[in-house]
Amino acid sequence: MSCTTEIAVPLLDVNRQNVPLWDEIEAAVRQICDTGRFVHGPDCRQFEAEMAAYCGTDHAVGCASGSDALLLALMVLGVGQGDEVILPSFTFFATASAVWRLGARPVFVDIEPDSFNIDPKLIEQSITPATKAIILVHLFGRCANMAAINEIAAQYGLKVVEDAAQSIGAEYQGHRAGALGTIGCFSFYPTKNLGAFGDAGMLTTNDAQLADKLRILRDHGQSPQYHHHLVGINSRLDSIQAAVLRVKLTHLDRWSGQRSTNADRYAELFAAAGVDRLLQLPEPPSDGHQVWNQYTVRVPEGRRDSLKTHLAERKIGTAVYYPVPLHRQECFTTLGYAEGCLPETETAAREVLSLPIFAELTEAEQDAVAAGIASFANDQISEAA
Ligand SMILES: *Cc1c(COP(=O)(O)O)cnc(C)c1O
């Protein structure tokens, strides 16, 4: 029996990155309270400019959440009743609900097993005369296969919306997420790589007309005030969130680097412990740079849930993103997707397990994760013997 000193390892601990910045953040927040400009204040404008510069786009438009960014993106592209939008099913719910809420039909496409991202080879067969746009998701911090997606979109005249909620700073062929399609959508929900102290979101684009219209749509469609030529929504960026995010953005690349270091270290630890046979580890992309919003392994042969339980008993936090693919959600039954129609998506939903990867994770904590997985692997071998 091997015996390791037990340390609890959280899946994510946002305090470790917020507490060291607290003095700076507190001063920024106090300044907003002093001026009383709680919504769309100067920090919002500045944060928009900084996000545009960071992503390498001409424009960035703040809004209230990543979910609203997706909704606004589809609204500004004119998606509505009778339209179809192609998207992956292996993603967070908001990617599809934006389509549904506008009265359009989500058309789900299967994923590539290695990247977990939408499989461009399967897009063309899903295109109909009603198809208006493709939403791709750069899942877990890794960019989708944009060259192939943009080629299809150009051929069929489709708009391309990037759900970059998990991928701020990720690169594909030298360009950053948010600058790879028609419109990029970001979330600053506290668990994302750049996390606010609440909800916030952002849209990026190189199209000045779309940016202007997005600024109007996020504010009830009014321009000037009390004159509505569009029906928009209330999805304004909160000044306090913008101020917090401005402080944190200056540290983002350092945090992304730490996440990469952690990912490399996991690969070494798992190889050394010989658990690379039990787990299928994520392979880095060859045409870009990922930012590791999640470190997601596959645990084949029905062992995922027992490994998750084993780690939970050792106080090691893990999560399953996502256990039920969107095409199998109860609210979408009327779309008629039977079990088995997106096989790679359904296999991934059974096999994936995300391990702690946040920037401030310590080496001792990573060792505990590896030891926990190794002890599970040993139990499996002795059971089989
Ligand atoms: C978090 C997330 C969203 C939604 O962002 P919110 O800010 O929570 O509304 C959308 N898509 C993906 C892929 C996400 O991970």
Side-chain angles (χ1 to χ4, degrees):
M1 268 310 286
S2 72
C3 186
T4 49
T5 331
E6 208 168 272
I7 58 166
V9 187
L11 179 65
L12 174 66
D13 180 356
V14 292
N15 280 335
R16 290 192 208 173
Q17 68 174 208
N18 290 336
V19 169
L21 303 177
W22 180 238
D23 286 346
E24 212 181 328
I25 289 174
E26 191 183 29
V29 170
R30 175 162 304 153
Q31 218 239 323
I32 290 174
C33 298
D34 287 345
T35 62
R37 299 188 63 183
F38 292 110
V39 174
H40 277 175
D43 279 277
C44 298
R45 301 282 131 65
Q46 280 153 344
F47 181 53
E48 287 176 340
E50 287 157 6
M51 269 294 288
Y54 185 83
C55 296
T57 58
D58 293 340
H59 311 278
V61 179
C63 64
S65 70
S67 303
D68 276 3
L70 288 159
L71 186 68
L72 287 161
L74 297 180
M75 285 171 79
V76 81
L77 295 175
V79 170
Q81 207 90 41
D83 294 330
E84 293 180 2
V85 175
I86 288 172
L87 75 166
S89 166
F90 195 59
T91 173
F92 180 64
F93 183 68
T95 320
S97 64
V99 178
W100 182 275
R101 284 175 61 190
L102 293 172
R105 181 184 172 88
V107 176
F108 294 112
V109 167
D110 213 353
I111 53 167
E112 302 170 327
D114 56 341
S115 71
F116 299 114
N117 284 326
I118 192 166
D119 188 342
K121 292 190 298 300
L122 304 175
I123 290 178
E124 209 161 353
Q125 66 198 45
S126 298
I127 294 174
T128 75
T131 309
K132 196 119 187 201
I134 302 170
I135 311 179
L136 55 97
V137 182
H138 304 308
L139 203 69
F140 303 147
R142 178 184 175 133
C143 289
N145 184 345
M146 294 307 300
I149 293 167
N150 281 330
E151 195 182 312
I152 297 165
Q155 196 182 332
Y156 289 89
L158 307 177
K159 303 297 184 190
V160 176
V161 175
E162 298 174 71
D163 182 341
Q166 302 183 2
S167 297
I168 186 165
E171 285 176 16
Y172 175 85
Q173 295 182 356
H175 299 279
R176 279 190 167 157
L180 302 168
T182 318
I183 302 179
C185 300
F186 290 90
S187 164
F188 307 108
Y189 185 76
T191 62
K192 310 296 183 184
N193 286 23
L194 181 61
F197 282 15
D199 280 308
M202 186 75 68
L203 297 118
T204 51
T205 184
N206 285 322
D207 185 321
Q209 266 179 309
L210 289 179
D212 286 345
K213 201 167 167 186
L214 283 168
R215 288 196 179 87
I216 296 168
L217 282 172
R218 71 169 171 189
D219 190 20
H220 295 294
Q222 58 185 341
S223 169
Q225 199 176 20
Y226 305 127
H227 296 262
H228 302 259
H229 58 108
L230 298 168
V231 180
I233 60 175
N234 171 7
S235 183
R236 294 171 297 221
L237 179 60
D238 182 303
S239 303
I240 288 180
Q241 301 308 335
V244 169
L245 291 163
R246 290 190 66 207
V247 171
K248 293 184 75 174
L249 180 61
T250 61
H251 300 273
L252 179 62
D253 286 340
R254 177 169 57 84
W255 292 329
S256 297
Q258 287 171 312
R259 284 173 181 266
S260 286
T261 305
N262 294 344
D264 292 345
R265 195 152 180 278
Y266 268 144
E268 286 166 23
L269 288 172
F270 295 154
V275 295
D276 40 347
R277 272 167 296 139
L278 173 76
L279 305 180
Q280 205 175 310
L281 306 183
E283 295 270 350
S286 58
D287 49 5
H289 162 71
Q290 69 187 329
V291 291
W292 301 102
N293 177 243
Q294 301 296 339
Y295 184 90
T296 302
V297 300
R298 281 180 188 261
V299 194
E301 294 165 32
R303 292 169 172 166
R304 192 266 312 276
D305 292 339
S306 43
L307 174 59
K308 187 177 193 332
T309 306
H310 180 91
L311 293 174
E313 283 163 3
R314 296 177 148 235
K315 299 191 175 59
I316 294 169
T318 62
V320 173
Y321 303 117
Y322 296 92
V324 182
L326 299 187
H327 72 284
R328 297 295 295 153
Q329 294 290 344
E330 196 182 333
C331 62
F332 293 141
T333 19
T334 55
L335 294 174
Y337 287 92
E339 193 170 343
C341 53
L342 301 179
E344 290 297 350
T345 296
E346 293 168 31
T347 303
R350 281 191 299 270
E351 294 186 346
V352 288
L353 189 65
S354 295
L355 307 177
I357 189 71
F358 60 100
E360 301 77 15
L361 190 69
T362 67
E363 292 197 354
E365 288 173 326
Q366 283 202 284
D367 293 344
V369 174
I373 296 171
S375 74
F376 179 80
N378 287 337
D379 290 355
Q380 299 277 306
I381 291 163
S382 45
E383 264 168 45

